[in-house]
Amino acid sequence: MGPLEVLLCILCTFIPNTSCLTVNTIWTQENKVPEKVQENEVKNLTQRLLGNRSSEFVLTVDPGLRTENGNNKAVLESRTVNGVTTINIVGSTGVAAAWGLHHYLKYFCQAHISWETSQLNLPDPLPEVQLTLTANDLFRYYQNVCTAGYSFCMGGNGWTGRDI
């Protein structure tokens, strides 16, 4: 148990109905969603974002990539065969693979994806890459739960479907 976990265990003694066991459970991550399901979802995301250019990206999930502390990793590698470049992205989870895709699009292709607009004019051929990303944090959060809770229900399928 690390120093932060010990501190949380001490703090939890002052919070009713909690224990050190509760804190240890927080730090133990398990993927409840099978790897193939995560892979399919991140491939669907790639198809929604990039359309016919999605065939130039191969995204896979390998839980064995996690660091010994449990942090996510994404490995990005390009391969060029007969003048066609394919970007292979392996993530320790589907979220890590999507993170790797976003990183590549943003920093190697100068693409931009936001709520308001997207610029996804990718260069042809795709830029070469050989990179490993390691998350600094154990958990990744998207949005403020209150804001999202109030906003997403008003957005309709076109907005929320793209955002998810």
Side-chain angles (χ1 to χ4, degrees), residues 36-51:
K36 289 298 176 192
V37 172
Q38 293 182 57
E39 270 182 30
N40 287 336
E41 291 305 316
V42 79
K43 287 175 184 176
N44 290 340
L45 167 75
T46 306
Q47 176 64 41
R48 284 193 308 271
L49 279 177
L50 304 176

Side-chain angles (χ1 to χ4, degrees), residues 59-157:
L59 288 96
T60 54
V61 173
D62 177 6
L65 281 180
R66 281 188 189 270
T67 67
E68 62 185 46
N69 295 334
N71 293 25
N72 280 319
K73 287 176 91 174
V75 177
L76 295 74
E77 294 179 344
S78 55
R79 291 203 177 101
T80 304
V81 177
N82 297 328
V84 177
T85 302
T86 303
I87 307 302
N88 296 300
I89 301 172
V90 182
S92 52
T93 64
V95 171
W99 172 44
L101 174 65
H102 180 263
H103 185 90
Y104 178 78
L105 294 174
K106 182 175 182 178
Y107 295 105
F108 288 82
C109 299
Q110 283 66 54
H112 176 78
I113 303 166
S114 71
W115 283 20
E116 296 298 321
T117 188
S118 293
Q119 185 289 108
L120 290 166
N121 299 322
L122 305 183
D124 192 10
L126 291 170
E128 300 280 327
V129 64
Q130 187 80 29
L131 178 70
T132 298
L133 301 170
T134 303
N136 294 324
D137 44 9
L138 189 58
F139 299 104
R140 302 196 70 113
Y141 297 96
Y142 173 69
Q143 293 287 327
N144 171 310
V145 271
C146 286
T147 302
Y150 293 120
S151 302
F152 280 167
C153 62
M154 304 297 182
N157 258 354

